[in-house]
Amino acid sequence: MLGETTDDDSNNEPNPTQTAAGELADAIRTTLGPNGLDKMVVGENGTVIVTNDGSKIIEWMDITHPVGRLVEQAAAAQDNTVGDGTTTAVVLVGALLEEAATLRSAGLHPTTIIDGYGRAVEAALDQLAQYERGLHSRQDDRLTQIAKTAVTGRWDDASTDRFAELTLSALQAIGFDRSRLTLKSYPGGELRESVCLDGVLVDLETSSTSLNALSHPRTRTHDEPAIAMVDAEIGIEEPNNVESVELQDATQRNAFQAHEQDRRTELVEQVVQSGVTVLLCQKSIDEAVRTALAQQGVLPVERTRRDEFDVIARATGSTPVMSVDDLTADDTGTVGSVTQRTVGTAQTLVLQGCPEEHRATLLLRGGTPHVAEEVRRIVADCIDVTRVALDDGVFVPGGGAVPTALAMDLAALSREIPDRTQLVFDGFGTALEALPRTLATNAGTDPLTTLTGIKQRHDAGAETVGVGPDGHPRDMIDAGILEPAAVFRSALQRAVAVVTQILRVDDVVRTSTNERTAGGEHDHAHAATGGYPWAVGH
């Protein structure tokens, strides 16, 4: 019958729920570490994306098996919470399930394994504290090393150092307040052209404003401009109700046109009399008014994105008004300078030296749209990792040093356990060793030899030794390979939580798409979302 499984069958047949999660782990295992390889993800429409970011690969995969979706959700939660460690979490899930299958074949009941994993992860987290080291301040040099570790393997050494230092300098400039840092990426340039700007960059491509349509040159700087902000349309007011105007003769037509022209002139004069240099409108600006403003030396920008509009208002001290008629000099704000510039093919406005709210923008460049977007994603991950390390205040040596040390600690603790939970502790430790083994494999070295060498160094008291960039044992502190303790801690906890859920499942019961549960009204069938055709399921 459906859902019934004998102990003999469960010991001899691989559990399909565990197999689905294992396949997902195997799919991204090769991306782990500085020597990890990229995945080429091909979309249904032919779009090709190349990346080694585990979270993005999983996000783009078309995962059909419900257990695979559990792992996908855990990976997304890991990425959203700490910004890194997604691949680590998924690899741990696969390793823990593989050890669970071995324990099942040895006759252990799933409940015993679940309880043992729960005790083992508690012991591992307790032991983790002895390998943590504290950060002294926001100027601690080890923050730079943490940032470099986060982007290692994405570029060459020179670019890795540059982007890590660029990211850290941007965070330091805004007091590590992520809400005051903006990332903008543009294709058509080289990586070395990426810079940190003191202020806000507005992308005019998102509005209908075109610098080509204005009388200003394509690049111009306004020093200490008066900035006004209007949170409504600027132009001839439209009636609320549908109305028609019947013109009897040419005289009436001319009078009607003159009235509209007078209104436009009135609007322009009101802006000019307010001493405005830059006018930002959240909605549209009448074309004739926009042209007249440009001729009067005012830079008009329409349809400013709401988030940018609010940011500029706070940063410049401007008071948004609902109508140009209400605009006065007291409503204007200012910045050090406003520069019109073209980045690649995009037209932008750069507001630098914001007096009311210090802000920064990382202007990132890449040769192609995909490279530019990949640079933005990598820098975003670097920002998240750096902030997590600072917020948590502690870091650990990378390169699999901590998982190896914890595996050895659990092996020692298991010898004191009198029942069969000892086997579970040993299996949990073996699963932790999957991380240094994977790093060594991806570096092209023999994982068994490398892991043995690391353990020998740990036995001698060098507990910070892990897998170096060349795949051989190396002291991670001396090598500057550091990572936030919160990243590994979160990955370990999420992996165990998912594995516990999976081990409690002995079968998958399918229902029709329109079938309802007895006590609810929701349809839990998963509809296809048109994702990338990389299916993990059965």
Side-chain angles (χ1 to χ4, degrees):
M1 294 178 63
L2 183 62
E4 293 185 351
T5 306
T6 65
D7 288 341
D8 290 339
D9 289 340
S10 64
N11 290 338
N12 296 326
E13 296 291 335
N15 191 326
T17 61
Q18 298 182 24
T19 303
E23 288 180 357
L24 183 56
D26 291 338
I28 66 171
R29 187 188 307 275
T30 57
T31 67
L32 184 67
N35 297 293
L37 300 177
D38 295 340
K39 297 293 183 183
M40 179 178 290
V41 188
V42 183
E44 294 176 346
N45 59 357
T47 302
V48 177
I49 298 173
V50 179
T51 183
N52 66 354
D53 186 333
S55 64
K56 291 301 178 185
I57 295 171
I58 293 175
E59 178 184 339
W60 290 324
M61 291 168 67
D62 184 14
I63 299 175
T64 61
H65 197 286
V67 171
R69 291 188 202 132
L70 287 178
V71 181
E72 178 187 18
Q73 293 168 5
Q78 173 76 13
D79 185 54
N80 294 333
T81 304
V82 294
D84 197 12
T86 302
T87 304
T88 297
V90 177
V91 169
L92 281 173
V93 169
L96 287 169
L97 288 175
E98 184 178 349
E99 291 303 316
T102 301
L103 293 170
R104 289 292 304 277
S105 65
L108 272 70
H109 192 274
T111 302
T112 304
I113 300 173
I114 291 170
D115 292 341
Y117 275 179
R119 291 172 56 184
V121 72
E122 289 181 4
L125 292 175
D126 288 341
Q127 292 294 118
L128 178 62
Q130 67 177 310
Y131 304 113
E132 296 175 346
R133 287 165 169 73
L135 290 167
H136 298 147
S137 68
R138 292 180 173 181
Q139 283 70 43
D140 197 319
D141 291 339
R142 288 170 297 186
L143 270 179
T144 303
Q145 295 175 335
I146 291 171
K148 290 180 180 180
T149 302
V151 298
T152 296
R154 315 298 178 91
W155 299 297
D156 56 77
D157 292 342
S159 296
T160 295
D161 293 345
R162 171 173 171 73
F163 277 93
E165 293 169 359
L166 191 67
T167 300
L168 191 57
S169 64
L171 287 171
Q172 291 172 339
I174 44 90
F176 289 85
D177 184 352
R178 178 65 177 85
S179 65
R180 293 193 280 125
L181 178 62
T182 304
L183 299 184
K184 296 285 188 179
S185 59
Y186 294 94
E190 299 182 16
L191 292 175
R192 59 182 176 82
E193 296 177 25
S194 301
V195 295
C196 178
L197 302 176
D198 173 23
V200 181
L201 184 145
V202 179
D203 190 341
L204 297 182
E205 296 295 311
T206 59
S207 75
S208 61
T209 305
S210 174
L211 298 182
N212 294 333
L214 306 178
S215 59
H216 296 297
R218 288 174 63 85
T219 302
R220 177 178 177 180
T221 300
H222 308 266
D223 294 324
E224 297 184 356
I227 299 175
M229 310 190 72
V230 179
D231 198 359
E233 292 184 5
I234 300 178
I236 306 298
E237 292 81 1
E238 296 288 342
N240 293 329
N241 300 318
V242 177
E243 298 179 2
S244 62
V245 178
E246 184 176 347
L247 303 176
Q248 301 295 333
D249 52 34
T251 301
Q252 291 182 345
R253 184 190 63 184
N254 292 337
F256 184 78
Q257 291 175 341
H259 170 73
E260 289 190 340
Q261 183 58 41
D262 290 343
R263 178 55 181 161
R264 292 187 177 97
T265 301
E266 182 182 345
L267 292 172
V268 173
E269 290 178 350
Q270 181 68 25
V271 173
V272 173
Q273 289 175 3
S274 302
V276 173
T277 309
V278 179
L279 177 66
L280 292 102
C281 182
Q282 207 277 316
K283 298 183 179 179
S284 63
I285 302 177
D286 181 88
E287 183 177 356
V289 173
R290 193 168 69 242
T291 301
L293 287 172
Q295 292 172 346
Q296 292 290 328
V298 178
L299 174 62
V301 180
E302 65 175 0
R303 293 189 175 91
T304 307
R305 273 176 35 185
R306 169 55 67 181
D307 57 339
E308 292 180 340
F309 187 86
D310 294 339
V311 163
I312 294 171
R314 293 196 307 269
T316 64
S318 302
T319 302
V321 296
M322 295 303 298
S323 171
V324 171
D325 296 325
D326 301 328
L327 182 62
T328 66
D330 294 336
D331 298 316
T332 62
T334 189
V335 291
S337 66
V338 173
T339 303
Q340 303 163 231
R341 61 181 293 183
T342 300
V343 181
T345 60
Q347 299 171 352
T348 67
L349 205 64
V350 182
L351 292 77
Q352 293 183 283
C354 302
E356 301 298 326
E357 182 180 85
H358 192 195
R359 300 193 63 86
T361 300
L362 279 173
L363 175 58
L364 308 172
R365 306 301 308 277
T368 66
H370 170 64
V371 172
E373 178 58 25
E374 189 75 355
V375 171
R376 190 204 64 78
R377 180 192 59 75
I378 294 171
V379 171
D381 288 346
C382 184
I383 291 171
D384 290 339
V385 168
T386 305
R387 289 186 63 252
V388 165
L390 189 62
D391 292 343
D392 197 38
V394 292
F395 66 91
V396 293
V402 169
T404 303
L406 293 178
M408 296 175 67
D409 291 339
L410 291 177
L413 291 173
S414 70
R415 289 192 286 270
E416 301 175 3
I417 300 176
D419 55 28
R420 302 187 76 187
T421 305
Q422 179 186 71
L423 299 176
V424 182
F425 265 58
D426 289 337
F428 195 96
T430 303
L432 289 175
E433 292 175 356
L435 295 173
R437 288 199 306 268
T438 300
L439 291 172
T441 300
N442 291 348
T445 58
D446 179 64
L448 181 59
T449 301
T450 300
L451 185 59
T452 301
I454 293 174
K455 286 184 174 182
Q456 291 173 345
R457 298 279 294 274
H458 280 225
D459 283 333
E463 297 173 339
T464 59
V465 173
V467 182
D470 60 356
H472 296 96
R474 184 176 179 183
D475 190 294
M476 297 290 98
I477 300 294
D478 293 343
I481 302 175
L482 314 176
E483 59 186 22
V487 171
F488 177 75
R489 188 187 308 120
S490 175
L492 183 58
Q493 290 172 321
R494 293 185 192 282
V496 173
V498 171
V499 168
T500 298
Q501 283 184 296
I502 295 173
L503 290 178
R504 293 187 184 277
V505 177
D506 67 345
D507 207 343
V508 178
V509 180
R510 302 271 183 184
T511 63
S512 62
T513 57
N514 59 356
E515 186 174 343
R516 307 290 183 179
T517 59
E521 296 296 328
H522 297 289
D523 182 2
H524 294 284
H526 181 74
T529 59
Y532 288 89
W534 189 348
V536 175
H538 301 276

